[in-house]
Amino acid sequence: MIKLENISFDHCIKCTVCTIYCPVARVTHLYPGPKQSGPDTERLRIKNPELLDVSLKYCSNCKRCEIACPSDVKIADIIQTAKWRYSKKELRIRDFLLSRTDLMGTFGTLFSAIVNFFTHLGMVKYFLDVIFKIPSGRTFPNYASGTFTKWFKSVRKYQDNYADKVIYFHGCYVNYNYPQLGKDVVKVVNALGKGVIITKEKCCGVPLIANGYIKKAQSHGRHNIKVLSSALPDDKTKIVSASSSCTLALKHEYPNLLELDNSPIINNITYITQFILEEFEKGNILRLKPLSYTVAYHSPCHLERMGSAAFTIELLRKIPALTVKILHSECCGISGTYGFKNEYYGISQSVGNELFRIIDEAKPDFVVTDCETCKWQIEMNTKYKVIHPISLLAEAIE
Ligand code: SF4
Ligand code: SF4
């Protein structure tokens, strides 16, 4: 039966704006675009699932079509749902491994020196390409030698010194690949006079959704809603995340894609730069020292979908002496695990080309962005280092 909340396709006015804004349809004739793969063919699929047009697999779930749509059609959600609801299920070892970030992260951090060495070897990349269809041109992110949660145990007792607390959803990237970002979040939140709480969270579910493991993503979602809501001391405490995709999952994907009730936490979830700016507005302002850099800011698609890129830009502008060049809004092309698959790699690279060109043209000291996978894609394709806005803020704190 069609649920009332899932008929946003019926609001489509056929303007085609979404297709113009779709970065995938722009670079390949293999994908007809969001209008056709979304609202146009949803009616057919509902009538007869056999009429599924498999070209919808090329959608990367970047959500830029949803940003552009004047009728608030949940185009990307319709396409993602159709992918797992009507497509034939295939077990692929590669997709299984790419989606199990907690499993791979636990193993990767335990044996980080060995894993990091081997995943950069040309011969290993060749075999991954031939056997698992993971493109040999793709650079893998390194694993850290210890997790963020392990480090946090050493500072947990100091967090009780603060009367006000913030719950921090750190995500897999901070836990297994780059704990320094989590340490920077703790530094900034503490500098605002608040303690940090972390919970026994699981992966937010974004890679599971992207690879079709919907039941597993729902189970992660239910777990996260439970642990986060149980940790809330009151209605006003914020749940912050420094990952744009994790925040989007908690706020948007849980109810819209996974059909989970996230009402116990929805009003508390805030992207971290919004939370900090709101503190500034209340008069809780950080003393910041000048940073004489020129940075190019790239706004990630999922942050734009939430309308939160403006908060990051505003926050960067608060750092004295920092020159911020706002890059034209472009998709970097990686879209999580999409750019880690042979069948989409060429598209992923073509999508990102315009962004790589404008970064080179801006000639910054480094690039700033909120998304970990955008960072991997930009660092692989340009000569620039990519920094998270919170790490820059942590550096500016006196
Ligand atoms: S932008 Fe929205 S209203 Fe316009 S064609 Fe696309 S889905 Fe329909
Ligand atoms: S989510 Fe991105 S790739 Fe998919 S249809 Fe929308 S704009 Fe295109």
Side-chain angles (χ1 to χ4, degrees):
M1 196 168 91
I2 306 169
K3 290 189 181 175
L4 260 188
E5 61 270 28
N6 291 347
I7 57 160
S8 75
F9 65 84
D10 236 7
H11 303 160
C12 173
I13 55 168
K14 315 284 175 211
C15 66
T16 322
V17 167
C18 53
T19 300
I20 292 165
Y21 277 84
C22 174
V24 173
R26 195 174 67 192
V27 299
T28 177
H29 64 277
L30 296 171
Y31 184 52
K35 175 176 170 285
Q36 188 173 324
S37 292
D40 280 3
T41 43
E42 182 67 2
R43 289 177 183 83
L44 291 174
R45 290 188 291 256
I46 288 170
K47 227 173 152 188
N48 180 0
E50 296 284 309
L51 295 171
L52 177 85
D53 176 355
V54 291
S55 65
L56 54 62
K57 69 181 179 188
Y58 289 102
C59 167
S60 69
N61 199 25
C62 69
K63 302 215 185 275
R64 294 181 82 83
C65 50
E66 291 187 359
I67 302 168
C69 177
S71 299
D72 196 24
V73 179
K74 304 283 185 296
I75 316 163
D77 292 349
I78 292 169
I79 296 170
Q80 293 310 306
T81 307
K83 268 190 201 176
W84 60 263
R85 186 164 286 161
Y86 306 119
S87 302
K88 261 204 256 146
K89 310 277 175 293
E90 286 173 33
L91 175 67
R92 277 208 154 144
I93 297 172
R94 175 199 65 189
D95 298 355
F96 178 86
L97 295 176
L98 285 176
S99 62
R100 276 13 183 223
T101 47
D102 283 319
L103 176 73
M104 298 302 287
T106 305
F107 176 80
T109 45
L110 270 177
F111 304 102
S112 59
I114 301 166
V115 173
N116 294 342
F117 174 75
F118 279 103
T119 49
H120 288 86
L121 279 184
M123 186 61 93
V124 173
K125 290 173 104 176
Y126 173 77
F127 281 113
L128 287 175
D129 194 327
V130 173
I131 298 167
F132 291 112
K133 311 286 177 224
I134 296 175
S136 57
R138 167 63 56 202
T139 307
F140 287 93
N142 280 335
Y143 283 105
S145 54
T147 61
F148 168 72
T149 47
K150 189 174 170 203
W151 171 84
F152 188 77
K153 281 182 188 150
S154 67
V155 298
R156 188 189 292 274
K157 61 176 185 281
Y158 304 114
Q159 305 308 312
D160 291 335
N161 296 338
Y162 300 92
D164 282 346
K165 301 272 197 322
V166 165
I167 299 174
Y168 172 39
F169 188 92
H170 50 75
C172 301
Y173 167 68
V174 161
N175 203 26
Y176 304 116
N177 300 103
Y178 196 57
Q180 184 56 48
L181 174 55
K183 295 176 190 177
D184 292 337
V185 168
V186 174
K187 180 179 175 182
V188 171
V189 173
N190 286 171
L192 286 164
K194 293 176 191 295
V196 173
I197 299 170
I198 65 167
T199 63
K200 287 195 183 306
E201 64 177 59
K202 287 187 177 177
C203 166
C204 67
V206 165
L208 290 163
I209 295 168
N211 289 285
Y213 294 98
I214 300 305
K215 286 210 165 73
K216 188 83 178 160
Q218 285 170 323
S219 142
H220 279 217
R222 267 185 226 105
H223 170 88
N224 287 332
I225 293 167
K226 191 170 156 203
V227 294
L228 291 169
S229 57
S230 312
L232 278 173
D234 53 56
D235 290 352
K236 291 198 183 74
T237 300
K238 294 291 182 196
I239 299 167
V240 299
S241 175
S243 161
S244 39
S245 293
C246 293
T247 313
L248 186 83
L250 295 170
K251 276 173 96 96
H252 179 102
E253 308 287 53
Y254 283 5
N256 295 336
L257 253 174
L258 300 180
E259 299 180 344
L260 298 175
D261 174 17
N262 69 345
S263 60
I265 56 169
I266 182 96
N267 293 327
N268 305 77
I269 304 161
T270 312
Y271 184 63
I272 190 150
T273 55
Q274 178 175 357
F275 161 74
I276 297 167
L277 267 184
E278 284 171 0
E279 285 300 311
F280 280 20
E281 274 163 24
K282 287 182 212 158
N284 186 14
I285 298 168
L286 294 172
R287 281 164 60 92
L288 301 173
K289 67 182 180 206
L291 296 181
S292 303
Y293 304 128
T294 297
V295 301
Y297 176 65
H298 162 64
S299 52
C301 301
H302 286 176
L303 194 67
E304 288 195 15
R305 176 65 184 87
M306 293 184 289
S308 301
F311 298 114
T312 299
I313 293 168
E314 204 46 43
L315 191 62
L316 290 173
R317 285 184 172 145
K318 303 266 184 217
I319 301 176
L322 187 74
T323 305
V324 186
K325 292 187 176 180
I326 316 290
L327 298 171
H328 185 261
S329 172
E330 295 286 345
C331 176
C332 75
I334 192 169
S335 293
T337 58
Y338 186 87
F340 283 81
K341 299 176 180 179
N342 263 356
E343 60 272 34
Y344 308 126
Y345 182 64
I347 295 173
S348 160
Q349 289 297 100
S350 302
V351 166
N353 274 338
E354 181 57 12
L355 177 66
F356 313 145
R357 189 191 67 73
I358 59 175
I359 288 173
D360 283 336
E361 208 173 77
K363 295 187 177 49
D365 293 320
F366 46 84
V367 177
V368 174
T369 195
D370 312 73
C371 170
E372 53 271 23
T373 57
C374 295
K375 170 184 162 75
W376 303 339
Q377 178 80 330
I378 295 167
E379 287 185 341
M380 190 181 100
N381 287 285
T382 70
K383 60 183 183 203
Y384 296 102
K385 190 173 156 54
V386 181
I387 295 180
H388 194 283
I390 296 302
S391 296
L392 208 54
L393 194 68
E395 187 184 334
I397 289 174
E398 285 190 345

